[in-house]
């Protein structure tokens, strides 16, 4: 066997090793997804337990804690396998993320004891759970960032943003549970609730952008309009302000906490099913590519050494195999290429950051103008106050899974179209 053939076989074996590691990473992402889901349940139940001074959700919290501990055990076993590899395939950054989370996991027992003894406030307990979940999501982010296969990378990016959006939905559940259990929302929790809703939408928009058509279909199938409508209604109640035409904040019944918890849990469980479908797809893609690479290796071993039939045939074939333009692109996207242009990218990144900040400001101003114009139309045609028009626009955008700016543009476009029809009729 020639040196060239040996190098080719070695390259294929490296591809198989990398793909095998990605398959293991997919399994780790699945375990992290399951553990986060259990933590989210425990966090929500713990919030209600603390806010009610132990009067509610004690049994449910204990059950969820047991589920979290079981999921943690399975996840730790999977992560330990990486540390036991003789020559780890995982990138150093990924291993450092896992090590940091490992230390945080050791503090879970202290957090649970503080909740048992009411030695921590509901907000502080929620924040502690949030920090741990953020660390777990960072592992998924590093897995996506270090993947070298474009198909697998896109799927990992979609999964990461779905998990991030789902985590924000879990934080919203905990925030809402706190307010509804108390029977009112102060300004801080009201603002937090609104911020979490906006941040979720950005995550889900990115998820849809990167998800496969199959993943997008699962997403649309799992979303329940009835559940979303119920949550939107409770969001409106949570964000209402004291006025002469609406109930005072003290009149919000605390029994709504369980209704809120059940509805948001239904929504989060739907997201979990989408997560599971995507992770299953990711695993299938990894194993299919491993099989293809093994078949390529078997074919390469079976082929005898071939002598070129014409002078310089192999030399001339180099350009056919990979044109210079494509070679340049691949060089720029390779790990070595990225290292060589790192300083240039850092400078360009700073300049781009300033440009992005300016563009974001302009975009925010444009969106604010759209919303103000749409709000004016709603006030004129529906005889609503400014606050009522704003709530109506916000609820409609949530019901239709649109941003408020996009919903405002739709209303303005519809108004223009109706005016044109009226003008035609009058002529």
């Amino acid at each position: 066997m020639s040196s060239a053939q040996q190098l080719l076989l070695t390259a294929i074996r490296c591809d198989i090793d990398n793909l095998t590691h990605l398959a293991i990473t997919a399994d780790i992402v699945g375990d992290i997804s399951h553990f986060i889901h259990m933590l989210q349940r425990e966090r929500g139940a713990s919030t209600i337990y603390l806010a009610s001074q132990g009067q509610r959700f004690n049994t449910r919290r204990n059950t969820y804690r047991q589920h979290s501990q079981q999921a943690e055990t399975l996840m730790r076993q999977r992560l330990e396998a990486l540390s036991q590899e003789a020559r780890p395939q995982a990138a150093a950054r990924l291993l450092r993320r896992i090590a940091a989370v490992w230390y945080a996991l050791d503090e879970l027992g202290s957090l649970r004891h503080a909740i048992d003894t009411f030695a921590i406030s509901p907000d502080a307990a929620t924040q502690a759970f949030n920090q741990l979940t953020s660390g777990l999501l960072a592992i998924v982010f590093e897995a996506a960032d270090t993947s070298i296969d474009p198909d697998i990378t896109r799927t990992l990016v979609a999964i990461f943003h779905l998990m991030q959006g789902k985590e924000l939905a879990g934080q919203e559940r905990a925030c809402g549970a706190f307010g509804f259990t108390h029977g009112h929302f102060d300004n801080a929790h009201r603002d937090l609730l609104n911020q979490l809703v906006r941040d979720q939408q950005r995550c889900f928009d990115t998820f849809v952008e990167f998800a496969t058509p199959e993943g997008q279909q699962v997403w649309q199938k799992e979303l329940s309009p009835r559940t979303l409508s119920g949550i939107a209604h409770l969001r409106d109640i949570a964000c209402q302000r004291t006025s002469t035409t609406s109930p005072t904040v003290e009149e919000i019944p605390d029994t709504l906490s369980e209704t809120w918890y059940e509805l948001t849990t239904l929504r989060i469980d739907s997201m979990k099913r989408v997560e599971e479908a995507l992770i299953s797809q990711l695993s299938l893609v990894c194993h299919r590519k491993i099989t293809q690479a093994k078949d390529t290796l078997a074919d390469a071993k079976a082929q005898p050494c071939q002598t070129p039939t014409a002078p310089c045939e192999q030399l001339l074939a180099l350009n056919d195999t990979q044109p210079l333009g494509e070679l340049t692109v691949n060089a720029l996207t390779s790990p070595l290429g990225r290292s060589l242009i790192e300083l240039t990218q850092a400078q360009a990144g700073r300049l781009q950051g300033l440009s992005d900040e300016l563009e974001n400001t302009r975009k925010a101003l444009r969106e604010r103008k759209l919303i103000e114009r749409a709000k004016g139309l709603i006030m004129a045609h529906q005889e609503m106050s400014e606050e009522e028009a704003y709530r109506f626009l916000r609820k409609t955008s949530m019901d239709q899974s649109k941003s408020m700016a996009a919903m405002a543009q739709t209303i303005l476009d519809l108004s223009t179209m109706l005016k044109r029809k009226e003008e035609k009729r009058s002529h």
Side-chain angles (χ1 to χ4, degrees), residues 9 50 82 92 108 138 209 274 277 320 336 383 402:
L9 295 178
L50 288 170
L82 287 179
L108 256 181
E209 179 183 351
V274 180
D320 294 334
L336 176 60
E383 297 182 354
K402 290 184 177 181

Side-chain angles (χ1 to χ4, degrees), residues 36 78 80 157 159 174 186 199 214 244 249-250 291 348 384:
I36 288 177
R78 187 90 66 180
E80 281 178 347
V157 169
I159 291 172
D186 56 25
D199 291 345
E214 295 81 4
T244 57
V249 289
E250 287 78 17
T291 300
M384 292 182 177

Side-chain angles (χ1 to χ4, degrees), residues 159-418:
I159 291 172
F160 168 74
H161 282 91
L162 176 59
M163 292 177 69
Q164 190 176 40
K166 175 171 166 286
E167 164 57 13
L168 293 170
Q171 292 183 24
E172 182 193 6
R173 176 174 60 184
C175 178
F178 175 82
F180 282 119
T181 301
H182 275 291
H184 73 276
F185 286 79
D186 56 25
N187 289 334
H189 287 86
R190 184 184 297 114
D191 292 343
L192 175 59
L193 202 67
N194 286 323
Q195 183 65 46
L196 290 170
V197 172
R198 291 192 295 269
D199 291 345
Q200 284 174 64
Q201 191 58 51
R202 283 196 289 269
C203 289
F204 296 142
D205 287 344
T206 305
F207 155 71
V208 171
E209 179 183 351
F210 283 89
T212 62
E214 295 81 4
Q216 294 177 17
Q217 288 176 4
V218 176
W219 174 251
Q220 292 298 328
K221 179 182 176 182
E222 289 293 342
L223 291 177
S224 168
R226 184 175 180 181
T227 299
L228 294 177
S229 177
I231 292 173
H233 176 65
L234 290 176
R235 283 171 176 167
D236 284 341
I237 294 175
C239 293
Q240 68 187 356
R241 297 179 183 275
T242 304
S243 69
T244 57
T245 59
S246 64
T248 61
V249 289
E250 287 78 17
E251 291 177 347
I252 298 177
D254 59 3
T255 53
L256 283 181
S257 63
E258 297 198 19
T259 304
W260 166 264
Y261 187 88
E262 296 303 328
L263 284 174
T264 51
T265 296
L266 284 173
R267 177 171 177 251
I268 292 171
D269 287 347
S270 296
M271 296 177 195
K272 181 62 169 67
R273 289 192 290 272
V274 180
E275 267 185 30
E276 290 171 348
L278 262 67
I279 292 169
S280 178
Q281 290 176 10
L282 175 62
S283 182
L284 288 174
V285 169
C286 290
H287 287 96
R288 185 180 72 243
K289 287 179 177 286
I290 291 171
T291 300
Q292 292 171 349
K294 288 182 177 179
D295 291 342
T296 301
L297 179 63
D299 292 342
K301 287 181 177 179
Q303 290 177 359
C305 182
Q306 297 180 353
T307 303
T309 57
C312 301
E313 180 178 343
Q314 295 299 318
L315 184 59
L316 295 172
L318 279 176
N319 192 51
D320 294 334
T321 303
Q322 193 168 43
L324 185 58
E326 185 179 339
L327 184 65
T328 302
V329 172
N330 289 343
L332 290 174
T333 57
S334 68
L336 176 60
R338 288 199 298 271
S339 298
L340 293 175
I341 62 175
E342 191 174 34
L343 292 177
T344 304
Q345 282 185 330
Q347 178 64 24
R350 285 191 290 270
L351 295 175
Q352 185 62 46
L354 294 174
S355 176
D356 290 345
E357 185 177 349
L358 179 60
E359 179 56 31
N360 288 336
T361 302
R362 290 171 177 166
K363 181 181 177 183
L365 289 173
R366 289 195 299 268
E367 291 181 349
R368 186 178 301 172
K369 289 180 180 178
L370 283 175
I371 292 171
E372 289 299 319
R373 287 173 58 197
K375 195 167 62 175
L377 279 174
I378 296 170
M379 291 167 63
H381 290 279
Q382 300 295 325
E383 297 182 354
M384 292 182 177
S385 67
E386 183 177 357
E387 184 176 347
E388 289 171 338
Y390 180 81
R391 289 207 303 267
F392 174 82
L393 179 59
R394 184 184 63 207
K395 182 179 184 302
T396 305
S397 64
M398 289 177 181
D399 289 345
Q400 298 192 19
S401 298
K402 290 184 177 181
S403 67
M404 287 187 66
M407 194 67 239
Q409 184 65 63
T410 301
I411 292 173
L412 293 171
D413 291 343
L414 181 60
S415 174
T416 302
M417 184 179 68
L418 292 175

Side-chain angles (χ1 to χ4, degrees), residues 36-69:
I36 288 177
H37 191 64
M38 296 300 106
L39 279 180
Q40 288 168 338
R41 286 183 170 182
E42 183 182 354
R43 174 181 58 196
S46 297
T47 300
I48 295 178
Y49 174 79
L50 288 170
S52 66
Q53 288 296 305
Q55 298 300 310
R56 292 182 178 175
F57 276 42
N58 184 33
T59 301
R60 192 180 306 196
R61 183 181 69 92
N62 289 331
T63 300
Y64 289 162
R65 177 168 56 187
Q66 292 174 6
H67 293 167
S68 294
Q69 290 169 333

